[in-house]
Amino acid sequence: MATWEVKYRRVVIASDLGAILAVVVLVGAFVANSATAGDFPQALVAMATVVTVLASLTACRAWSTAVLGQEAEEFRRLGKAVVAAAVVLAVVSLGLGLPGVRGWIFLVVPAIAVVAFPLRYILRQLLHQRRRAGRCLLPVLVAGSVDTATDLIARTRREPHNGWRVEAVCASGTSKWFGPGDIDGVPIVGHLDELADHVRRGGYRVVAITSDPYWTPLRLQRLAWQLEGTSAEMVVAPVLMEVAGPRVHVTGVLGMPLLRVSAPTFTGARRVVKEIVDRIGALLLLTVLAPILITIAAAIRVGDRGPALYRQQRVGKDGKPFTILKFRTMVVDADRRRATLLGGNEAAGPLFKMRRDPRVTPIGAVLRRFSIDELPQLVNVLRGTMSLVGPRPPLPKEVEAYGPDMLRRLLVKPGLTGLWQVSGRSDLTWDESVRLDLRYVEDWSLALDALILWKTVRAVVRGQGAY
């Protein structure tokens, strides 16, 4: 591992340990003095809680460098470890008949998660900030066809927070080389049959194998043997590039490594939990924000005497139409004026967007800047036609132009926020927006929903892509 990897892992472990000890001392003191403490020594319960949570974090590999700073998997493992610790404490207390442990299970352990998750997120943001500045990146050697290498290079540059920097490429001799020995500025250092020698000389941290007819199972196996003892980690990109996360599993069957891709879950217990969280979350937000929503509605009405809400037909789950609610941010006759502005459309695909749309009212510009105009959609979430997190709710004209792949967006409810919201919103191209929606449908998990909701706050404050 690189020096910065070791240091970052130590900082994360210290952060988790600090969160555990702080919560056990502060919250544990309250539990120990409560009426539910019982006669059992609470100091022993505190020690058992610390040991159990630490053991659970280790067992769930929540400190693995492979997941630290990477997507939702880091938080999924952290959450899994906290839940496992609570279950272990519950089983042990039930077996030993210790009623005084209940406060530690239902108060202290959840409090550890409440503290640990934000600390992990802050550390991740500091890491991502360094990566965007060109530091804390892993040197990568790509080996495959020129087309797949070009795609991987573009992805790493578009998303530097993932921590990869492609420094060299080994391409097959049958591929068509672009430019004088380089791909988008990355040098082609040799052919695929020279890969192992270049890895030994170059000191690369990751060897990314991309699709190419050259790669047979025997050649991949030999390459893995040749890379043993080097600093390089061999990563093989599967054909299913957009399927990842909890749906992908590697198992051994009949002596062969097989990549199992489980079906996306559209029903079951996790979906029930999502429905409950949606309804309760929407109800709580509407209750808390009610004074603000009423004030905004009154300001819109006073502005030009028009209606405060804008209603529009959208397409929901399974293609069922519904009426979406928004605060009106444009003049009353905005729809009629659209035809005269088509020449200034800055959006791709069937969407219509202008950075400086003359139809937007002064109040509407502020509402759009911070996505406040979307808040009435909490009513849609409460009614069950939308979710807090999901694909962008499409217009009927968009759905009419959908191909078979894009129709998969309709397998789940559209969301008040989603990957498109935290990835640039209106600054995204049409293809990028579709790709993100499909990725959400394929890789959905409760951990991913939690991460998107967390990132939405930052995206709204920054206002990037909101116009």
Side-chain angles (χ1 to χ4, degrees):
M1 291 189 294
T3 303
W4 68 264
E5 287 183 280
V6 177
K7 291 181 178 179
Y8 183 73
R9 183 171 183 269
R10 288 174 180 172
V11 170
V12 171
I13 293 175
S15 171
D16 290 344
L17 182 58
I20 294 169
L21 293 177
V23 170
V24 167
V25 171
L26 298 177
V27 182
F30 170 77
V31 173
N33 294 324
S34 65
T36 60
D39 299 329
F40 194 80
Q42 294 297 293
L44 292 180
V45 181
M47 293 177 58
T49 301
V50 172
V51 172
T52 302
V53 175
L54 289 176
S56 183
L57 287 169
T58 303
C60 294
R61 301 181 64 196
W63 295 322
S64 171
T65 55
V67 301
L68 293 180
Q70 302 296 328
E71 301 296 337
E73 180 63 17
E74 175 183 1
F75 297 103
R76 188 185 72 82
R77 291 192 185 186
L78 181 59
K80 182 179 179 181
V82 173
V83 172
V87 171
V88 170
L89 288 173
V91 171
V92 172
S93 66
L94 183 63
L96 298 178
L98 303 174
V101 183
R102 286 180 297 178
W104 294 83
I105 297 172
F106 295 106
L107 188 59
V108 175
V109 174
I112 291 175
V114 170
V115 176
F117 271 89
L119 289 176
R120 282 281 191 111
Y121 181 78
I122 292 172
L123 292 176
R124 170 183 283 205
Q125 292 307 305
L126 294 175
L127 175 63
H128 288 181
Q129 185 177 3
R130 293 191 174 191
R131 286 176 170 175
R132 283 189 287 268
R135 295 182 293 169
C136 298
L137 296 173
L138 300 177
V140 179
L141 172 62
V142 179
S145 68
V146 169
D147 291 337
T148 55
T150 302
D151 177 66
L152 185 57
I153 291 171
R155 287 173 184 250
T156 57
R157 289 175 176 174
R158 187 170 58 243
E159 302 176 6
H161 62 272
N162 287 319
W164 281 17
R165 177 175 58 213
V166 180
E167 296 187 349
V169 175
C170 280
S172 59
T174 57
S175 296
K176 178 182 178 182
W177 287 13
F178 294 162
D182 69 87
I183 300 175
D184 289 343
V186 179
I188 299 177
V189 296
H191 297 276
L192 294 179
D193 53 6
E194 304 169 330
L195 176 60
D197 294 333
H198 286 290
V199 172
R200 295 192 190 94
R201 292 196 299 265
Y204 301 101
R205 179 66 172 78
V206 178
V207 177
I209 308 298
T210 61
S211 178
D212 190 277
Y214 174 86
W215 294 120
T216 62
L218 181 59
R219 283 173 173 165
L220 285 174
Q221 186 179 52
R222 287 177 177 172
L223 177 62
W225 292 340
Q226 292 171 341
L227 296 182
E228 290 179 358
T230 69
S231 61
E233 176 187 11
M234 180 174 164
V235 178
V236 181
V239 178
L240 300 170
M241 293 295 290
E242 297 298 337
V243 178
R247 292 186 54 205
V248 179
H249 313 274
V250 178
T251 58
V253 179
L254 300 176
M256 298 184 299
L258 297 180
L259 189 68
R260 292 183 179 273
V261 182
S262 58
T265 56
F266 303 118
T267 58
R270 289 190 299 163
R271 286 290 175 179
V272 173
V273 172
K274 180 178 174 68
E275 287 283 342
I276 294 173
V277 171
D278 283 342
R279 304 294 179 91
I280 295 177
L283 181 60
L284 290 176
L285 287 172
L286 284 172
T287 303
V288 172
L289 298 175
I292 299 176
L293 298 179
I294 294 173
T295 302
I296 293 173
I300 296 173
R301 291 279 296 176
V302 172
D304 59 4
R305 304 298 180 182
L309 293 178
Y310 176 73
R311 294 172 171 81
Q312 189 178 46
Q313 282 291 109
R314 297 294 180 101
V315 180
K317 185 176 182 293
D318 299 327
K320 297 178 181 178
F322 71 97
T323 301
I324 197 172
L325 299 176
K326 291 184 176 184
F327 280 127
R328 184 174 58 85
T329 59
M330 292 186 175
V331 295
V332 178
D333 60 343
D335 291 335
R336 291 196 298 271
R337 295 190 190 182
R338 176 179 173 178
T340 63
L341 300 172
L342 291 178
N345 185 20
E346 301 176 30
L351 299 179
F352 179 85
K353 286 283 185 178
M354 293 178 66
R355 292 183 182 273
R356 297 183 178 180
D357 196 320
R359 301 172 298 168
V360 177
T361 63
I363 295 177
V366 176
L367 298 180
R368 288 186 169 213
R369 170 65 175 77
F370 297 103
S371 298
I372 300 174
D373 59 315
E374 310 284 351
L375 289 180
Q377 292 172 33
L378 289 170
V379 176
N380 292 112
V381 177
L382 193 60
R383 290 176 176 175
T385 54
M386 290 182 64
S387 176
L388 290 177
V389 182
R392 186 183 58 80
L395 293 164
K397 289 184 178 179
E398 295 177 45
V399 177
E400 291 174 2
Y402 278 2
D405 295 343
M406 294 166 64
L407 284 173
R408 293 187 63 80
R409 297 170 74 184
L410 306 181
L411 292 175
V412 298
K413 292 180 182 180
L416 178 63
T417 185
L419 285 176
W420 47 275
Q421 175 86 333
V422 300
S423 303
R425 287 184 277 187
S426 296
D427 286 341
L428 297 173
T429 65
W430 171 251
D431 291 338
E432 288 173 336
S433 176
V434 171
R435 180 179 65 83
L436 289 172
D437 281 345
L438 291 179
R439 177 187 166 191
Y440 176 82
V441 174
E442 298 294 335
D443 299 337
W444 172 82
S445 68
L446 291 173
L448 180 60
D449 274 7
L451 184 60
I452 290 173
L453 287 171
W454 181 267
K455 286 186 175 183
T456 298
V457 177
R458 183 185 61 179
V460 168
V461 171
R462 290 182 175 181
Q464 181 181 1
Y467 54 87

